[in-house]
Amino acid sequence: MSSEQTIDFPVSGMTCAACQARVQRALVKAPGVEQASVNLVTRNAHVAFDASVITPEALIETVRATGYGAELPAQAQTVAEEQAATDAAGADEFNALRQKAVVAFTIGLAAMFGPMLLPKSAMMATDTAPLVWWVLLVATAGVMFWAGREFYSHAWAALRHGSADMNTLVSVGTLAAFLFSATATIDPGLFSRRGVVPQVYYEAVVLIIAVVLAGRALEARAVHQTSNALRRLIGLQPKAARIERDGVEVDVPMEQVRHGDVVIVRPGERVPVDGTVVAGTSAIDESMLTGESMPVSKATGDRVFGGTVNGTGAFRASATTVGDDSAIARIVRLMREAQATRAPIQRLADRVSGVFVPVVMAIALATFATWLIVGGTGMLVQATTAAVSVLIIACPCAMGLAVPTAVMVATGKGAELGVLIKGGAALERAGQVDTVVIDKTGTLTEGRPAVTDVLAVDGDTKTLMALAAAAERPSEHPLAAAIVRHAADNAVPTEVAADFTSHTGQGVRARVGSRHVIVGGPRWLEAAGISVAPLTERASQLSSQGKTIVFVAADGQLLGAIAIADRIRPTTRDAIARLKRLGLSVVMLTGDARAAAGHIAAEAGIQDIAAELLPGDKTAEIARRQKEGHVVAMVGDGINDAPALALADVGIAMGSGTDIAIDAGDVTLVRSDLNSVADAIALSRRTMRTTRENLFWAFIYNVIGIPLAAGALYPKYGWLLNPIVASAAMAMSSVSVVMNSLRLKRWRPR
Ligand code: ADP
Ligand code: MG
């Protein structure tokens, strides 16, 4: 028996893709671990494991044994606290790195330019080294120990486990330069006797450390910026609420608001909690959740959401969800989880960085050897410079950032637009979609259909409506709601039905009083042996106006039909046109009659329709298109099309209002507007382009940098890459990758 569990915990000390790859490999290799993914940017490990084989504590130990830090997640933290802790850790890291970088830079620049102020003779080594060299030796050792210590300790930890990472490269590079310089300082004769002019590289050692630290500081800050969207959402949650208790209004901190408390919201205030309006009216700006800037009017019975901004009205609302169940908290949690997942495209980067370090070490060694073999010992200085430059410039850190930073910015951007994307894999697939399949009822249309015509075979529309409404009351289908509403509006009394059964996409049956009632599509009645022929002609006439016809029978006798019209959403036509401009083929799926479907499709601007489908036919239709090689996105309301959403390459669930069906689908739309589908696909495509650009930027520095550093241009032009320039180039590659990802923030869907 397997008892699979998942756990998320923070991992500290990772600085590059190789570190991340190593921690991940260690976890995957551990017994009982089914799957592990470690994210360099969020500093998070997500592990699926068999709890009967390995404990969470053992997982933490596994990570620690690789030389990195890990801790069990803190218990009972709210998402807001979790995010705040992540943010604070990020800020601390940035400050510490910046301080060290500034000090190292100051000393490095002094080491570089200071000696220029001294007379030439003070810098020449004869048999003994000049005093300045000794001063620099001490200062450099100090910087290495204080500012660079982490490189060496991590490199050492890695070495003990027979592996290497970016710290290894920086450590070996700086140590080689330092030892070379220290030897020249302690015994210059060792060089001069062999015809090599003794030289020191102290300033290079210090500046390399300074530049690498500065690069990491910039990176830490930029990565921090990628999660701005989450911080913004968290910041929306008010800290206090005004509630009514025992008839008096009191201000209480948020933690004390309970389910059912009546909160008082004054004009211009943020709504403190999710709730239902019980008195008053207002218009609320919900753009922070939905991306829609038009205020939404609210009256008694309407739902309101914590963090949204009240307009000019005042109202009271009864609190429904508080704390971690609120809409904002759920969005934040979903985004955090999404950002912790890995996109498949990252596997490329992972694979490369896993083998990169040993390859680079080998290239550096080969460079060193080639210089000495070709140039003789007289070339020792150049050989060292080249080998050190190769080690420094080759660092694959940018590769580890290429995909996750883009995914983070994109998911944040999506949240801003009211498009919640469940992680890198969903983004990647959404970027490849070429066919969008859309469910009709509730997706293309508003899903608030209204009864327009009631046809009774014997003229008694009242009994017909009473029986139909009673049978439909337990159903959650929009058509059922329309029938029930119509009965209520016309004061038709309805009994409570018994033995209710519902067949998705077909209809319902129930016992109402002593009568056996069947309501549904024509095939549903015919399957029960009831002919709808007497009404076929009038039904098809109404159907061609886009109305859905539902037939009603009792005790095997056809009673009549109810025509129900559902308006197409005002945004649908425009959105379909946008989807087509994106080069997507758009298909409408429906269980409704062909005539009604054709009418709606024409209004929406869709040519490709599949109608009269049972729920099983919907999935078959999607599977057929997938088999033809299409990447299919299915858009539905998540209520009765869950199987189709699950089967599609990308399931897009449209929320009704702000009531987010977060579990359904790969993408959840907060707003009921098909434009969000176009936004989601356009954003995903743009993000994939960004990740490809990022991978290019991450590789290109290494591809060009390594031969230059090795001295490829030396024979012809006498030009050799300075190790300090190499470290700047390496830092720039990370920074340019992160900056490129941050450009996504300014992206507009249209
Ligand atoms: P769509 O594919 O447009 O979303 P559904 O698959 O939900 O529509 O339903 C298809 C058809 O099944 C409807 O047009 C209607 O004829 C019938 N039907 C489904 N549920 C019900 C119900 N609760 N009451 C009456 N008819 C229903
Ligand atoms: Mg439907």
Side-chain angles (χ1 to χ4, degrees):
M1 194 193 75
S2 119
S3 40
E4 193 176 322
Q5 280 185 18
T6 61
I7 185 173
D8 280 274
F9 56 84
V11 178
S12 57
M14 295 187 297
T15 47
C16 66
C19 313
Q20 171 268 320
R22 195 144 61 81
V23 175
Q24 182 165 310
R25 229 179 305 126
L27 282 170
V28 169
K29 269 196 269 170
V33 171
E34 263 126 60
Q35 198 228 328
S37 81
V38 176
N39 189 305
L40 174 63
V41 175
T42 55
R43 312 268 147 92
N44 181 73
H46 177 83
V47 186
F49 63 103
D50 185 340
S52 60
V53 180
I54 192 164
T55 61
E57 288 76 15
L59 291 171
I60 301 292
E61 274 316 307
T62 308
V63 174
R64 290 198 178 145
T66 61
Y68 296 90
E71 260 162 74
L72 281 177
Q75 287 299 306
Q77 270 191 323
T78 66
V79 278
E81 283 163 355
E82 266 172 37
Q83 185 63 31
T86 312
D87 290 344
D92 288 350
E93 185 185 2
F94 169 68
N95 288 329
L97 285 167
R98 183 177 56 181
Q99 193 194 16
K100 287 180 174 170
V102 166
V103 173
F105 257 119
T106 313
I107 294 176
L109 292 177
M112 191 149 139
F113 296 113
M116 291 183 187
L117 304 174
L118 298 171
K120 257 230 152 78
S121 58
M123 282 304 291
M124 293 289 285
T126 45
D127 275 348
T128 55
L131 178 65
V132 195
W133 287 15
W134 288 100
V135 173
L136 289 175
L137 170 65
V138 174
T140 305
V143 170
M144 290 169 81
F145 183 75
W146 175 67
R149 185 166 37 182
E150 269 174 54
F151 302 137
Y152 307 114
S153 60
H154 278 136
W156 178 243
L159 184 68
R160 279 210 321 257
H161 290 87
S163 66
D165 59 19
M166 116 164 231
N167 295 294
T168 315
L169 299 178
V170 174
S171 301
V172 173
T174 53
L175 280 172
F178 179 76
L179 289 177
F180 184 92
S181 309
T183 313
T185 306
I186 295 162
D187 186 5
L190 204 63
F191 291 81
S192 40
R193 280 196 297 277
R194 285 169 176 75
V196 180
V197 182
Q199 275 189 22
V200 290
Y201 282 117
Y202 294 118
E203 79 288 356
V205 175
V206 176
L207 284 174
I208 288 169
I209 291 175
V211 171
V212 175
L213 288 173
R216 282 192 191 172
L218 281 177
E219 191 184 302
R221 199 179 51 176
V223 163
H224 194 55
Q225 283 173 5
T226 60
S227 59
N228 265 349
L230 291 188
R231 255 193 303 287
R232 192 182 53 87
L233 278 174
I234 296 270
L236 291 176
Q237 290 186 307
K239 300 275 174 288
R242 166 156 289 215
I243 63 171
E244 191 184 78
R245 264 196 193 146
D246 308 323
V248 255
E249 293 184 10
V250 282
D251 285 318
V252 297
M254 274 319 293
E255 304 84 70
Q256 290 178 21
V257 180
R258 299 278 165 266
H259 180 96
D261 277 346
V262 171
V263 299
I264 293 138
V265 186
R266 287 161 295 191
E269 274 184 347
R270 269 191 200 287
V271 178
V273 291
D274 293 3
T276 309
V277 176
V278 291
T281 57
S282 191
I284 296 186
D285 175 4
E286 295 185 339
S287 60
M288 51 295 295
L289 295 183
T290 61
E292 168 62 60
S293 52
M294 278 290 284
V296 185
S297 48
K298 302 280 177 175
T300 302
D302 287 338
R303 294 191 58 188
V304 293
F305 300 92
T308 57
V309 177
N310 185 20
T312 50
F315 64 90
R316 285 160 190 257
S318 156
T320 47
T321 46
V322 288
D324 261 14
D325 290 329
S326 68
I328 282 198
R330 270 158 46 212
I331 293 177
V332 170
R333 194 176 327 119
L334 179 74
M335 291 292 101
R336 281 178 64 91
E337 281 166 13
Q339 295 182 341
T341 63
R342 300 170 74 72
I345 190 173
Q346 185 153 5
R347 261 181 251 136
L348 171 66
D350 286 352
R351 230 177 298 143
V352 172
S353 41
V355 296
F356 207 86
V357 175
V359 169
V360 168
M361 302 276 271
I363 296 177
L365 268 180
T367 302
F368 187 75
T370 310
W371 273 96
L372 289 186
I373 292 163
V374 175
T377 46
M379 285 288 184
L380 187 61
V381 173
Q382 286 86 343
T384 311
T385 306
V388 169
S389 296
V390 167
L391 287 173
I392 299 296
I393 206 166
C395 179
C397 23
M399 253 177 287
L401 298 171
V403 182
T405 54
V407 169
M408 280 185 81
V409 178
T411 45
K413 182 84 211 176
E416 223 170 84
L417 296 168
V419 173
L420 308 179
I421 301 167
K422 287 197 190 145
L427 254 173
E428 194 171 328
R429 264 178 285 128
Q432 294 159 350
V433 163
D434 63 4
T435 302
V436 179
V437 170
I438 309 177
D439 186 45
K440 177 173 82 75
T441 310
T443 310
L444 281 171
T445 65
E446 285 189 331
R448 286 183 58 83
V451 172
T452 55
D453 308 80
V454 183
L455 314 173
V457 174
D458 61 3
D460 182 1
T461 56
K462 211 155 189 141
T463 308
L464 172 74
M465 280 310 294
L467 292 175
E472 289 281 23
R473 189 178 290 281
S475 167
E476 39 137 43
H477 201 277
L479 294 175
I483 292 172
V484 172
R485 214 174 317 120
H486 185 80
D489 290 350
N490 291 285
V492 174
T494 49
E495 284 182 58
V496 174
D499 304 336
F500 171 81
T501 53
S502 146
H503 282 253
T504 307
Q506 300 187 70
V508 299
R509 309 163 164 272
R511 198 160 45 74
V512 181
S514 60
R515 309 188 70 176
H516 185 87
V517 182
I518 297 181
V519 189
R523 278 182 296 169
W524 178 237
L525 270 80
E526 261 149 25
I530 300 158
S531 164
V532 299
L535 290 172
T536 314
E537 200 178 315
R538 285 162 79 195
S540 65
Q541 195 193 335
L542 289 166
S543 188
S544 64
Q545 297 167 18
K547 293 173 183 171
T548 302
I549 314 300
V550 166
F551 294 88
V552 185
D555 302 325
Q557 213 62 50
L558 181 69
L559 293 186
I562 303 172
I564 299 167
D566 192 4
R567 268 188 308 164
I568 125 165
R569 292 181 193 277
T571 50
T572 293
R573 200 178 163 83
D574 177 38
I576 298 295
R578 262 182 82 197
L579 288 170
K580 287 184 175 170
R581 277 201 301 278
L582 287 172
L584 298 157
S585 39
V586 181
V587 184
M588 176 177 115
L589 293 191
T590 181
D592 206 346
R594 196 155 282 124
H599 185 89
I600 298 278
E603 240 183 288
I606 298 176
Q607 286 75 37
D608 195 349
I609 332 171
E612 297 176 16
L613 302 177
L614 297 175
D617 301 335
K618 291 190 183 177
T619 47
E621 182 67 25
I622 290 172
R624 183 176 71 74
R625 290 177 191 263
Q626 284 173 328
K627 212 167 282 158
E628 285 170 8
H630 294 289
V631 181
V632 180
M634 159 84 193
V635 192
D637 54 18
I639 295 174
N640 57 13
D641 31 32
L645 288 180
L647 175 72
D649 298 286
V650 181
I652 303 180
M654 191 186 263
S656 53
T658 325
D659 191 7
I660 308 143
I662 269 177
D663 291 330
D666 306 297
V667 176
T668 303
L669 308 180
V670 179
R671 209 155 22 118
S672 303
D673 179 347
L674 281 175
N675 277 297
S676 294
V677 176
D679 292 352
I681 291 176
L683 175 63
S684 303
R685 286 184 180 176
R686 178 55 223 270
T687 308
M688 291 327 289
R689 204 176 83 207
T690 300
T691 57
R692 283 191 295 269
E693 286 165 5
N694 283 352
L695 286 171
F696 170 80
W697 283 118
F699 276 111
I700 198 72
Y701 280 86
N702 296 329
V703 168
I704 297 178
I706 292 175
L708 290 187
L713 294 184
Y714 190 84
K716 213 161 173 197
Y717 304 100
W719 189 81
L720 199 54
L721 194 70
N722 184 317
I724 300 170
V725 177
S727 62
M730 186 210 70
M732 276 319 295
S733 94
S734 292
V735 172
S736 52
V737 161
V738 181
M739 291 297 157
N740 192 41
S741 294
L742 285 173
R743 285 200 308 148
L744 271 173
K745 275 193 175 184
R746 290 199 307 271
W747 177 82
R748 293 269 161 279
R750 50 173 163 176

